[in-house]
Amino acid sequence: MYDPSKQYRCTIIRGKSQKEMDDLLPAYAKVIDEICPCSHQDFETLFNEAFKRYLPESERIKKTLDNHRTEISGKLFGMYYFAEDGMVYESERTQKYLEDNDQPAFFKDICFKMQFPNGMQKVSTTVAKRVEDEISVRPNAFVLKLLQIAQTAGVTITKKALGYYVLNSLDVLQGHANPYEVLEAIVKDQKDGIEHDISVPGKASSYTHQHINEQINYLELANLIRVTEDKRVILNPNESEAISLFTSVYKDKPEFDVYEYDLGNAEIRKEFQFKWDAYYARLSQYAQNFKTSSVALLFEEKKSIEETKKSRVNLTEFGDEGETLVYNYEKSRVAAYNTRLANKVLSLGKTRGIGYDIQSVIAEPGDEAEFVKYIEVKSTKRLTSPDLSDPLWVDSLNITRNEWIAAQQHKEYYAIYRVFFTREGATVFVINNVAEKIKDGRIQVTPMTYRVDFSNSSVDKEIPIRNEES
């Protein structure tokens, strides 16, 4: 029988604030993509040296850099893994993020694969202790299922309640409770006017609640929940498909079976760590279903899904959300300057090979008012808005060969419009004259792939392989 009074502190790797996580993710991805694959021996030096530029001077110390490398980008985010061949490789999760720039989708995948026990902490102590204590749960699937049935029943769940009844509950963490009996206990205590809190004698509130805050924090970064000002936790109805995928596995055992390994054996602990790292670095089975729409980011508790959609421009008329937003902006901007020129704004995103998405006009006072302006739109999604006043903020995007050529060819008439969809709405950063900024070092370009063309004169040897006749 479920007994919420049996409490158990089950931590995850300590991260940063939501804003810091959103800001640091592109930096982690950029550094890991630059240096991997590399050897085990070189990885620490290469990462720490490359990551220094994203930290203030006071934080460029080995301990802080090691934490970003091992604890956050490695253990918590699964952005790379150590392989048994002595090399370090970037993960599938990092590769997908660099392709789609969907930060909530990145965090959805992390939340889906999160489990207890796991290989995130010291195996010989923390992980072994959780195995000894028979911990076995997918906490985020359980939390979302509880919120789902609570919503149906019209029951309010607070952040404090999630901590006490779920994330710090031994019965839940051992897989001995289900969301329905947890909700029943919450309702009973609410009726009796009982409010429980997590407390550890001699420990400050930051110690007792930190692990709860962090786990809820990542569900919010995944855009699956919102925590209101009065600390209620509510589901994001615009993410119902993703939430359903989570709740479909709430009864399942953790996907990675820690209990298969004898953690008292040093060699097996080493094998376990390699296997865990490789497992966690792989995308979950539902990763391709975790795409985030801008409408989902704009969830407001008091607005229905339909009201939210109506408050936005039609995001499907011209395909990509970012392109549509920029197209509408350019039409309005040019029309405000000269109505006659508005029909010169063209949406060309579906025209392959030209190297830009929108053809507009300068539409500013002067001799070049009717000159053509070429715009490439690059969209990204994140929970919080970037802060341009932060001198260490960085972002990365991919451009194709045709976009690169167009930037070089059209120079001052070519711009990248970087669109950030966040829960506050959309923000567009305009980067004019990309070619000039590359030349003067304000933009760094890293070749991602190389095409190798060869002819018969390049071939040194031909080795015919014949099928053996029986």
Side-chain angles (χ1 to χ4, degrees):
M1 183 177 177
Y2 170 60
D3 180 1
S5 68
K6 294 190 291 185
Q7 294 283 286
Y8 186 98
R9 187 170 183 265
C10 211
T11 60
I12 59 173
I13 295 293
R14 178 166 293 189
K16 303 285 185 181
S17 69
Q18 284 187 359
K19 182 72 169 61
E20 287 177 299
M21 292 294 92
D22 262 356
D23 285 345
L24 287 170
L25 181 55
Y28 291 141
K30 179 177 171 60
V31 167
I32 290 165
D33 190 61
E34 282 176 5
I35 68 174
C36 289
C38 63
S39 70
H40 284 202
Q41 292 82 358
D42 293 338
F43 182 65
E44 176 182 331
T45 302
L46 290 172
F47 182 99
N48 287 10
E49 191 59 36
F51 199 73
K52 280 181 182 178
R53 63 185 184 268
Y54 303 115
L55 298 177
E57 193 74 39
S58 61
E59 294 183 23
R60 295 175 187 175
I61 57 175
K62 188 176 186 303
K63 182 179 179 182
T64 301
L65 290 163
D66 287 348
N67 181 66
H68 283 285
R69 185 186 75 255
T70 61
E71 302 295 294
I72 304 177
S73 64
K75 297 297 184 185
L76 182 60
F77 286 179
M79 300 185 76
Y80 63 85
Y81 64 97
F82 291 92
E84 295 182 75
D85 64 1
M87 300 293 286
V88 184
Y89 297 95
E90 68 178 313
S91 70
E92 292 179 351
R93 188 173 296 119
T94 300
Q95 293 169 357
K96 180 177 179 295
Y97 167 68
L98 287 169
E99 290 170 6
D100 65 23
N101 276 212
D102 188 336
Q103 296 192 192
F106 179 94
F107 288 111
K108 287 186 189 84
D109 197 61
I110 285 175
C111 287
F112 190 84
K113 296 202 84 170
M114 183 73 67
Q115 66 172 67
F116 293 122
N118 55 49
M120 292 181 179
Q121 288 142 321
K122 192 164 183 180
V123 179
S124 61
T125 54
T126 306
V127 180
K129 181 68 169 69
R130 288 178 184 165
V131 169
E132 180 186 332
D133 294 336
E134 300 180 357
I135 303 301
S136 180
V137 71
R138 291 176 150 185
N140 295 314
F142 195 102
V143 165
L144 293 174
K145 182 63 178 180
L146 174 63
L147 291 172
Q148 193 178 63
I149 63 175
Q151 178 180 278
T152 302
V155 178
T156 296
I157 303 288
T158 65
K159 193 173 180 180
K160 186 183 289 187
L162 274 184
Y164 181 81
Y165 293 95
V166 181
L167 298 174
N168 214 60
S169 165
L170 180 61
D171 282 347
V172 171
L173 295 170
Q174 289 179 328
H176 296 159
N178 67 64
Y180 295 92
E181 57 188 335
V182 171
L183 182 62
E184 186 179 342
I186 291 172
V187 171
K188 181 180 182 302
D189 284 346
Q190 286 180 353
K191 286 180 178 178
D192 293 340
I194 300 171
E195 185 178 43
H196 294 285
D197 196 6
I198 300 167
S199 62
V200 178
K203 294 292 186 179
S205 174
S206 59
Y207 173 87
T208 56
H209 289 88
Q210 184 68 37
H211 63 298
I212 306 300
N213 293 334
E214 285 166 355
Q215 290 184 69
I216 294 172
N217 207 21
Y218 291 112
L219 281 170
E220 195 162 14
L221 280 164
N223 199 44
L224 299 173
I225 64 169
R226 288 285 189 275
V227 179
T228 65
E229 289 184 6
D230 58 356
K231 304 302 180 185
R232 290 176 298 115
V233 183
I234 53 178
L235 293 173
N236 182 349
N238 297 339
E239 291 281 11
S240 57
E241 181 183 349
I243 290 168
S244 293
L245 294 174
F246 274 77
T247 58
S248 69
V249 300
Y250 86 91
K251 291 181 181 177
D252 297 353
K253 294 272 188 190
E255 190 174 357
F256 187 95
D257 189 359
V258 180
Y259 289 87
E260 286 185 354
Y261 299 85
D262 176 9
L263 300 182
N265 182 303
E267 283 302 311
I268 293 178
R269 285 200 302 270
K270 185 177 179 181
E271 177 194 356
F272 161 80
Q273 194 67 71
F274 279 126
K275 294 283 179 63
W276 167 264
D277 288 349
Y279 159 77
Y280 193 60
R282 291 196 299 272
L283 291 168
S284 71
Q285 60 181 312
Y286 295 130
Q288 299 308 320
N289 301 97
F290 288 155
K291 183 178 179 181
T292 312
S293 71
S294 61
V295 169
L297 278 166
L298 289 171
F299 163 60
E300 293 179 40
E301 185 185 1
K302 294 179 181 178
K303 282 189 177 181
S304 67
I305 299 174
E306 288 307 311
E307 286 175 323
T308 302
K309 288 179 179 177
K310 286 176 183 176
S311 69
R312 300 285 291 141
V313 296
N314 182 354
L315 297 174
T316 58
E317 187 177 355
F318 291 94
D320 180 78
E321 295 174 318
E323 290 176 32
T324 303
L325 187 145
V326 172
Y327 172 81
N328 289 336
Y329 166 79
E330 281 294 302
K331 286 282 278 190
S332 298
R333 182 187 69 83
V334 173
Y337 177 79
N338 187 325
T339 307
R340 177 181 59 84
L341 297 177
N343 63 358
K344 292 183 177 290
V345 180
L346 306 174
S347 178
L348 302 171
K350 295 188 183 298
T351 306
R352 298 183 62 185
I354 59 175
Y356 51 89
D357 297 311
I358 294 167
Q359 183 176 300
S360 186
V361 290
I362 299 298
E364 294 175 359
D367 296 338
E368 298 183 351
E370 297 191 36
F371 280 27
V372 176
K373 180 177 183 178
Y374 304 93
I375 299 170
E376 175 60 28
V377 181
K378 297 293 183 181
S379 301
T380 186
K381 289 153 188 170
R382 47 182 281 169
L383 200 69
T384 63
S385 297
D387 182 4
L388 270 184
S389 66
D390 180 0
L392 297 172
W393 173 79
V394 67
D395 188 29
S396 297
L397 52 84
N398 297 327
I399 62 172
T400 65
R401 179 174 179 272
N402 288 327
E403 290 159 6
W404 169 262
I405 291 171
Q408 302 295 318
Q409 178 183 351
H410 300 301
K411 295 183 169 63
E412 67 267 34
Y413 304 111
Y414 186 95
I416 291 177
Y417 280 39
R418 181 58 154 168
V419 182
F420 294 89
F421 288 108
T422 71
R423 62 182 169 189
E424 286 86 30
T427 302
V428 181
F429 289 176
V430 177
I431 307 171
N432 289 319
N433 202 344
V434 175
E436 185 64 26
K437 288 186 172 71
I438 292 170
K439 191 183 298 183
D440 65 23
R442 284 183 285 169
I443 290 177
Q444 288 77 46
V445 176
T446 304
M448 301 291 286
T449 59
Y450 297 87
R451 187 182 73 189
V452 178
D453 299 319
F454 67 96
S455 64
N456 57 354
S457 63
S458 308
V459 177
D460 297 302
K461 188 176 182 180
E462 179 183 6
I463 303 175
I465 305 295
R466 302 282 185 257
N467 291 328
E468 292 184 9
E469 295 185 13
S470 56

